Amino acid sequence: MQTVRQLLEQKSGRVLVTVTPESTVFQALQVMAEHDIGAVLVMEGGEVVGIFSERDYARRIVLQGRTSAGTRIREIMTSKVVYVTPEQNSDQCMALMTEKHIRHLPVLEGNTVLGMLSIGDLVHATIKEQEQVINQLVHYIQSA
């Protein structure tokens, strides 16, 4: 089972995408579309102050009749950010995501943001691990 640090090292395109609390929702959506991601960290003064996701947009903009251009991220971001540390493992991340009903986990080491893991990253890692186990079992059976 891989650690969060190992998962981050294997991620392609490890660019951390962030917005500020004063960004508009429209600006954040543009950044998310440009990077083909479903969430961005909200950073102020080098610290994480929130996270903004597609779910936040759907529930706090569309359903409340607000406009993307007229609403600041500060007004609708999720400010209680659930995060993991580099030493945790993929199973712990999956359990946390399942428990909290979230799809993105920032990775923090102290106050330093190392990256972000998505549910897709974890599913991909799980599939790779299962493929390795299957290959080992096939090899074992064929050599017996």
Side-chain angles (χ1 to χ4, degrees):
M1 183 173 327
Q2 292 184 308
T3 66
V4 168
R5 187 179 307 278
Q6 291 169 322
L7 292 170
L8 283 178
E9 288 170 358
Q10 294 171 6
K11 254 182 104 158
S12 60
R14 289 189 48 191
V15 176
L16 181 64
V17 181
T18 66
V19 296
T20 69
E22 296 309 313
S23 301
T24 65
V25 171
F26 185 79
Q27 290 168 327
L29 290 171
Q30 284 179 313
V31 169
M32 290 163 62
E34 178 183 326
H35 293 277
D36 194 27
I37 56 176
V40 290
L41 284 178
V42 183
M43 305 279 293
E44 187 170 48
E47 292 196 19
V48 176
V49 294
I51 189 168
F52 173 72
S53 69
E54 295 166 330
R55 183 178 287 176
D56 293 321
Y57 175 74
R59 293 181 180 178
R60 298 183 185 139
I61 294 293
V62 176
L63 291 178
Q64 293 181 7
R66 297 180 182 202
T67 65
S68 301
T71 306
R72 302 278 174 209
I73 290 294
R74 177 183 304 285
E75 299 172 49
I76 66 158
M77 69 184 183
T78 300
S79 56
K80 291 185 179 179
V81 180
V82 176
Y83 67 92
V84 292
T85 63
E87 292 74 31
Q88 289 178 266
N89 63 46
S90 57
D91 281 352
Q92 291 170 319
C93 292
M94 287 287 259
L96 186 58
M97 286 180 159
T98 301
E99 175 192 336
K100 301 291 185 182
H101 303 285
I102 56 176
R103 297 182 183 124
H104 300 88
L105 278 174
V107 181
L108 275 70
E109 190 167 48
N111 288 333
T112 304
V113 180
L114 300 182
M116 177 109 76
L117 290 177
S118 70
I119 190 74
D121 297 328
L122 293 169
V123 168
H124 180 73
T126 300
I127 290 170
K128 283 179 70 174
E129 287 177 17
Q130 289 175 349
E131 285 174 348
Q132 289 174 346
V133 169
I134 289 168
N135 288 337
Q136 290 171 352
L137 289 172
V138 167
H139 180 73
Y140 174 76
I141 290 168
Q142 289 175 343
S143 65

